[in-house]
Amino acid sequence: MSTSILSAHNLVKHFNAGGFGAARKVVRAVDDVSFELAPGETLGVVGESGCGKSTTARLLVQLLTPDSGSVRYEGKVVGPELPLKAFRSKVQMVFQDSFASLNPRMTMIDAVAFGPTVHGMSQADATRKAQDLLDRVGLDPSRFGGRYAHELSGGQRQRVNIARALAFDPQVIVLDEAVSALDKSVEAQVLNLLMDLRRERGLTYVFISHDLNVVRHISDRVMVMYLGEVAEIGPAESLYSAPRHPYTEALLAAMPSLDPDRRTMEAPLAGDPPNPIDPPPGCRFHTRCARAFGPCSAQVPTAFTVGKNHVAACHLNSVKEQVA
Amino acid sequence: MAVTTESVAHLATIEKSQGYWRSVWTRFLRDKVAVCAGLVAAGLVLMAIFAPWIAPADPLDGSMIKRLSPIGTEGYPLGADELGRDMLSRLIYGARLSLFMGVVPVLIAFIIGSAIGIAAGYLGGWVNTVTMRVLDVLYAFPSVLLAIAISGALGAGILNGLLSLTVVFIPPIARVAESVTTSVRKLEYIEAALASGASSIRIVRDHVLGNVLGPIFVYATSLISVSMILAAGLSFLGLGVSPPNAEWGLMLNTLRNAIYVQPWLAALPGVMIFLTSISFNMLSDGLRSAMDVKQ
Amino acid sequence: MTQDTVHSVTPLVRVEDLSVRFAGTPPVHAVNNVSFELAPGEVLGILGESGSGKSVTLKTLLRLLPERKTTITGKVEVDGQDVLALEGRALADHRGGVASMIFQDPALALDPVYTIGQQIAETVIRHEGVSKSDAMARALEMLDVVRIPSAKRRLDNYPHEMSGGMRQRAMIALALACRPKLLLADEPTTALDATVQIQILLLLRDLQKELGMGVIFVTHDIGVAVEVSDRLAVMYAGSFVETGSVKDVIRDARHPYSKGLLAANLVGAVPGTRLDAVPGAPPALNALPEGCSFAPRCAHAETACGISPLPLWSGGGGRWARCVHASRSAASAAGANT
């Protein structure tokens, strides 16, 4: 336990989707999700819409309160053992929508300086820090510091958002689709910035994205989510080269080919991801899984250890174990 | 220390971008209709303020011989009313009470309604539900009926009219404030501010107010014309302003018997009400589009 | 090889020197001197980032741009018809009849108050004047064509009753209902989940083969472009900077911007290493630099890059790039060979 900087323990978050009594509908956004982050590592989180990756991010930074389960920072439960305000300066978040994440009435300097002033820094010191950070993320503070969000491009705004997160001197940054809305050439610049900052400051990232290429590039470990649950989690290399959950396989196979001679010939899955309001029983993936068998529709698969730090929640692995 | 002074020098060189309100102003100036409406509205306000200097005659000084003189009569450029008072002077003086009854209730309702709406919108949950349902009950009454009912219960008089109009405008303003705040509340910069550990009061002050007051204010300006018309209606019914004060609604009422004798004369207060309300409406439309910052 | 056959037949689309300006001070140069041809049954992928003019080019082919604010110059021919001269009834026949379009967001492109069946039937009736029952039969057939399961039931669904992938299929059915010769696709898979995106891409590829239509597919995603296109055009700041067969452009990009895009897509990148990122951002379309628009971001820029017109490097068979260096290296290579 002491080795992890941030950890999630059996996080559960359900949302009301309307209806009363027996007709009450519940979105099982996150169901029993646990994982740990080692200091300095980057955990990639992938999955399709409705898989609960954004909810997980908000639970992790305590923007949402879990129905049950807990988040621990350096082993201390956030809330009872570690005051929320202290936790806030350790774990920060960068959102997908660079425009909506900036107050349209604030200059960029003020936006970055806001956090430190909340934590007691004087306005002058915070402004100075904001300038240094803007400079660090590649924006000349004398040119950009006095501007407003709508006067910046998407890439520049996302740099400001990164600077704002850095202003707390955090240990962990949760990046929720932080580069997804950017154009490819700009995305590459921001990825470079993130990798540089990680090295300089020894940052730990939770990198959420739907883009498997990008996740593979930046992550040490990858977590695959499906309908609010962790399907597979493991080192990026082994997860990409030898996935142990059919859903991971499908996601990888669904990536458009970059090789004109090897175009994708067959879609790995049919239909859309089911609604998280009413997830299937047993293994939630069994309705779309080509290799579903006996226990899949009835029994929730436990997490099978399939390699070093590599865990997959799929019954196929139990069969393999028995065969082996 | 040297580093510090250098940073301070650096601080001074930051080029301040054209502020938000500056850019709103630039965009507003490009909208010719809104600028015209603004000029008319400003003219009306000036007319009200400087009424004693502009008005050619005493608005209360009547002459029985000149009763219902038509427009263009010597010494009475816009004619005289049913008591022989100079119409032009009465219209000019009327702007004072009419604008007062248009602006003040809206202003008070803007302050109270915004406070209620922003609190309900930011806090959300059951606070929001309870507050908004109570306001909905008030809102369910037609505004004219509500104003008449309150005014009627309190009795005639400017102050009572003012009070009743204020009560009428609080629910709609609070509703707009609530919906604007709720939509801002969902934006990620508020989440980012929450993630910074800032207190609710601080978040509302630094991040919510600046972004919601503009739209609420624009909505409130559009109510000024409604307030004027309602006030005129109250005066017309004998509630609100009482004779011999000059107020457009009241003038419309007292001149209604003359409509067959001097229709143009009788219509003049109505024209003023129309002019004022349409200029304030167009002004608020122009403000709304000027404040709409695109990415 | 395909290129030779491509250029021997009459093209389905011929665009010559197309420029599109939007009114403004200064005016926005959205598309600048774009020329290309599309053979019947060919798939052209237009690859570009936001603001590159790819969607504007596509909309020009259907004349979907607001007329009052837009100045279009150049020549646009689809199926032998001058699209820019079409008026009234002829334009209506062109839209949806000869050429039709699918969009990124089917939730916005489909009418929420009509069922899928009604919407398809209405289009068929308008273009072909058939009876209502025939039109409904065609609608059912189209839902089968786009592989919507239990099509008969789906006919009576409203758009909001369908999942994202189903809606996108329904929109494709609507677009293909009148058997257009040209399908214009504007990022039709961008809003979809990965496992659904690949289904739609494969569907489009299959339908293109079955129906033999020409397709222009606009996307910002190289992978998507590779999956569906025969030929690729890379667009930057309103201009085509490079075209060629998919293989040529992907394997042997000549324009530094194309190379930058490939690097940004992590083609051949070692995980965890810094990317060879193109610095800066695209220029504002109302203040384009003289000469090469990419020069301000280009590592190899020199004085020659600022002079219009830029030299054109041609590799034959519709393969070309508009870059000083591409043409120079080709010239020196040719010199070395002789």
Side-chain angles (χ1 to χ4, degrees):
Chain A
M1 287 311 294
S2 56
T3 51
S4 74
I5 183 161
L6 189 67
S7 53
H9 301 266
N10 310 91
L11 290 177
V12 174
K13 185 75 187 174
H14 295 176
F15 293 107
N16 233 329
F20 290 100
R24 191 163 157 262
K25 285 178 184 163
V26 172
V27 178
R28 296 167 177 270
V30 169
D31 241 354
D32 199 14
V33 167
S34 304
F35 57 88
E36 292 184 10
L37 281 168
E41 81 165 342
T42 296
L43 176 71
V45 182
V46 297
E48 295 174 287
S49 56
C51 74
K53 46 190 201 299
S54 276
T55 308
T56 305
R58 280 169 173 74
L59 288 171
L60 210 54
V61 299
Q62 303 280 308
L63 279 173
L64 289 173
T65 323
D67 296 346
S68 66
S70 63
V71 173
R72 289 175 192 231
Y73 182 80
E74 288 178 338
K76 292 194 275 282
V77 180
V78 180
E81 291 167 35
L82 180 72
L84 197 56
K85 195 156 176 175
F87 172 79
R88 295 272 184 229
S89 65
K90 300 291 181 196
V91 181
Q92 275 295 309
M93 181 156 173
V94 176
F95 302 87
Q96 171 171 12
D97 187 338
S98 66
F99 189 65
S101 359
L102 288 166
N103 184 339
R105 303 291 157 80
M106 263 192 183
T107 63
M108 297 301 101
I109 282 279
D110 290 341
V112 177
F114 180 79
T117 62
V118 167
H119 289 265
M121 195 182 270
S122 75
Q123 188 65 46
D125 287 342
T127 306
R128 221 165 287 132
K129 183 166 195 180
Q131 285 182 22
D132 292 345
L133 284 170
L134 283 182
D135 197 37
R136 177 58 200 95
V137 297
L139 297 172
D140 178 1
S142 60
R143 267 184 71 205
F144 295 97
R147 293 200 191 177
Y148 292 86
H150 68 272
E151 297 169 308
L152 268 60
S153 70
Q156 290 166 341
R157 281 197 297 264
Q158 210 54 304
R159 287 171 191 270
V160 174
N161 285 318
I162 292 168
R164 172 174 59 191
L166 291 176
F168 295 85
D169 293 317
Q171 299 298 309
V172 183
I173 301 183
V174 177
L175 301 138
D176 185 9
E177 301 272 11
V179 297
S180 306
L182 304 176
D183 277 326
K184 271 289 166 195
S185 64
V186 178
E187 181 186 294
Q189 299 166 15
V190 176
L191 282 176
N192 278 343
L193 173 67
L194 288 172
M195 290 189 289
D196 292 347
L197 291 171
R198 175 172 69 185
R199 200 185 49 241
E200 275 167 33
R201 297 171 178 245
L203 291 168
T204 306
Y205 288 152
V206 177
F207 189 92
I208 297 171
S209 177
H210 64 277
D211 187 331
L212 280 90
N213 271 322
V214 173
V215 167
R216 168 161 213 187
H217 191 82
I218 200 167
S219 308
D220 303 308
R221 282 195 304 142
V222 175
M223 177 164 96
V224 181
M225 290 187 71
Y226 187 77
L227 288 183
E229 293 179 334
V230 177
E232 183 169 2
I233 182 168
E237 222 181 288
S238 65
L239 188 130
Y240 274 72
S241 57
R244 298 295 293 269
H245 194 292
Y247 179 61
T248 313
E249 272 172 36
L251 271 185
L252 291 170
M255 284 163 72
S257 159
L258 284 164
D259 183 348
D261 283 333
R262 257 179 277 161
R263 288 180 172 187
T264 310
M265 293 322 290
E266 203 181 337
L269 293 179
D272 292 59
N275 200 328
I277 285 180
D278 201 7
C283 169
R284 290 186 180 179
F285 184 61
H286 84 264
T287 49
R288 297 172 86 196
C289 183
R291 286 151 66 189
F293 64 111
C296 296
S297 57
Q299 223 178 311
V300 178
T302 48
F304 294 96
T305 304
V306 292
K308 190 164 180 283
N309 296 323
H310 192 162
V311 172
C314 172
H315 287 301
L316 287 167
N317 295 301
S318 73
V319 178
K320 277 177 195 163
E321 272 172 11
Q322 282 161 13
V323 171
Chain B
M1 263 358 265
V3 177
T4 326
T5 43
E6 201 180 279
S7 304
V8 170
H10 199 81
L11 200 99
T13 62
I14 287 184
E15 57 182 74
K16 182 86 178 163
S17 122
Q18 179 191 20
Y20 171 76
W21 292 110
R22 274 284 293 284
S23 67
V24 169
W25 180 239
T26 326
R27 268 195 304 274
F28 180 76
L29 287 183
R30 264 186 243 142
D31 184 349
K32 294 196 181 62
V33 178
V35 171
C36 286
L39 288 177
V40 171
L44 287 165
V45 171
L46 288 176
M47 184 173 95
I49 295 170
F50 295 106
W53 290 274
I54 306 169
D58 185 338
L60 303 178
D61 192 13
S63 158
M64 281 322 222
I65 321 163
K66 295 290 182 184
R67 283 170 56 185
L68 293 177
S69 297
I71 296 170
T73 307
E74 174 89 48
Y76 295 85
L78 290 179
D81 70 359
E82 78 290 350
L83 294 174
R85 294 171 293 198
D86 179 38
M87 201 59 192
L88 177 61
S89 302
R90 282 187 70 76
L91 286 177
I92 292 173
Y93 270 93
R96 296 190 137 184
L97 269 180
S98 294
L99 282 179
F100 180 80
M101 294 301 280
V103 174
V104 174
V106 171
L107 204 65
I108 302 173
F110 169 69
I111 295 167
I112 301 174
S114 301
I116 296 174
I118 292 171
Y122 185 77
L123 295 173
W126 65 268
V127 178
N128 181 310
T129 314
V130 171
T131 318
M132 296 323 286
R133 289 302 85 79
V134 170
L135 288 173
D136 281 349
V137 172
L138 278 177
Y139 197 61
F141 291 103
S143 52
V144 184
L145 272 186
L146 189 63
I148 292 173
I150 302 172
S151 244
L154 296 172
I158 295 177
L159 212 64
N160 289 342
L162 202 80
L163 199 67
S164 64
L165 289 176
T166 306
V167 173
V168 166
F169 291 128
I170 288 174
I173 290 179
R175 274 174 66 123
V176 170
E178 189 263 349
S179 81
V180 178
T181 310
T182 306
S183 63
V184 165
R185 176 81 172 70
K186 287 186 199 128
L187 291 175
E188 279 141 1
Y189 64 83
I190 301 293
E191 279 195 287
L194 283 169
S196 75
S199 65
S200 294
I201 290 178
R202 177 123 197 228
I203 293 175
V204 170
R205 191 192 71 195
D206 289 1
H207 292 286
V208 178
L209 278 187
N211 291 294
V212 300
L213 284 183
I216 306 172
F217 184 75
V218 168
Y219 174 72
T221 46
S222 76
L223 290 178
I224 290 177
S225 61
V226 182
S227 177
M228 271 190 52
I229 292 167
L230 279 181
L234 288 181
S235 308
F236 184 89
L237 293 171
L239 301 162
V241 183
S242 48
N245 286 318
E247 197 267 349
W248 296 335
L250 189 64
M251 289 163 73
L252 201 59
N253 181 11
T254 52
L255 278 168
R256 76 179 189 280
N257 293 323
I259 193 109
Y260 301 108
V261 191
Q262 289 290 353
W264 294 110
L265 187 73
L268 280 175
V271 170
M272 292 309 289
I273 293 173
F274 173 75
L275 192 68
T276 317
S277 64
I278 200 152
S279 62
F280 273 102
N281 266 342
M282 286 163 112
L283 179 66
S284 84
D285 273 357
L287 277 178
R288 192 200 326 264
S289 45
M291 281 167 59
D292 188 14
V293 183
K294 295 266 158 40
Q295 210 166 314
Chain C
M1 208 166 66
T2 47
Q3 265 71 35
D4 296 338
T5 51
V6 159
H7 290 279
S8 57
V9 286
T10 5
L12 174 62
V13 180
R14 193 207 307 269
V15 172
E16 255 173 61
D17 216 19
L18 172 72
S19 292
V20 180
R21 309 258 172 288
F22 293 126
T25 41
V28 175
H29 293 223
V31 176
N32 304 301
N33 309 98
V34 163
S35 303
F36 66 90
E37 287 184 0
L38 181 81
E42 189 187 19
V43 183
L44 171 70
I46 300 182
L47 189 64
E49 298 181 313
S50 53
S52 63
K54 55 193 197 304
S55 288
V56 174
T57 308
L58 209 59
K59 283 177 180 156
T60 311
L61 291 172
L62 270 193
R63 289 263 305 279
L64 287 177
L65 299 168
E67 307 247 330
R68 278 176 51 218
K69 289 182 173 170
T70 324
T71 323
I72 306 174
T73 55
K75 215 166 151 189
V76 177
E77 271 182 26
V78 176
D79 200 24
Q81 269 194 310
D82 182 358
V83 173
L84 299 182
L86 289 177
E87 289 295 337
R89 184 73 219 175
L91 182 59
D93 284 344
H94 172 70
R95 293 177 182 158
V98 180
S100 65
M101 190 153 172
I102 53 177
F103 300 89
Q104 177 174 340
D105 191 348
L108 297 178
L110 293 169
D111 192 328
V113 301
Y114 293 102
T115 64
I116 297 300
Q118 284 169 331
Q119 294 188 50
I120 299 176
E122 196 211 305
T123 310
V124 177
I125 291 169
R126 202 174 52 211
H127 282 283
E128 299 179 9
V130 297
S131 74
K132 201 163 176 218
S133 57
D134 285 352
M136 267 302 184
R138 171 77 71 81
L140 181 61
E141 183 196 328
M142 288 317 297
L143 292 193
D144 274 329
V145 166
V146 297
R147 335 265 201 264
I148 289 185
S150 47
K152 193 144 196 153
R153 202 161 45 83
R154 289 291 179 185
L155 216 48
D156 296 326
N157 274 172
Y158 289 92
H160 71 268
E161 296 172 312
M162 305 176 112
S163 64
M166 274 315 150
R167 268 205 294 266
Q168 199 56 275
R169 285 172 194 265
M171 184 162 68
I172 296 171
L174 179 65
L176 300 184
C178 295
R179 297 285 145 80
K181 292 179 178 167
L182 175 64
L183 178 69
L184 305 170
D186 190 1
E187 306 246 15
T189 62
T190 304
L192 300 174
D193 276 320
T195 58
V196 182
Q197 162 168 289
I198 196 72
Q199 297 171 36
I200 300 293
L201 289 178
L202 295 181
L203 173 72
L204 280 171
R205 217 161 72 188
D206 290 352
L207 290 177
Q208 187 272 330
K209 269 189 213 119
E210 276 170 37
L211 306 173
M213 61 195 166
V215 176
I216 301 180
F217 196 106
V218 158
T219 179
H220 69 281
D221 187 327
I222 290 192
V224 167
V226 168
E227 287 286 2
V228 295
S229 325
D230 302 324
R231 269 198 311 144
L232 211 55
V234 182
M235 209 166 174
Y236 183 78
S239 307
F240 277 19
V241 295
E242 175 161 7
T243 73
S245 71
V246 170
K247 269 182 215 175
D248 288 344
V249 176
I250 296 294
R251 301 244 168 90
D252 182 26
R254 294 302 179 101
H255 197 283
Y257 176 65
S258 317
K259 289 179 192 167
L261 270 189
L262 284 165
N265 277 277
L266 310 163
V267 175
V270 179
T273 55
R274 284 191 113 248
L275 298 164
D276 199 2
V278 180
L285 292 171
N286 56 10
L288 289 177
E290 181 73 12
C292 175
S293 305
F294 186 66
R297 300 175 76 186
C298 183
H300 314 287
E302 49 173 279
T303 21
C305 298
I307 302 160
S308 301
L310 292 163
L312 188 74
W313 167 79
S314 176
R319 167 102 180 100
W320 56 261
R322 204 176 285 281
C323 173
V324 171
H325 294 91
S327 45
R328 191 173 302 148
S329 59
S332 62
N337 282 343
T338 46

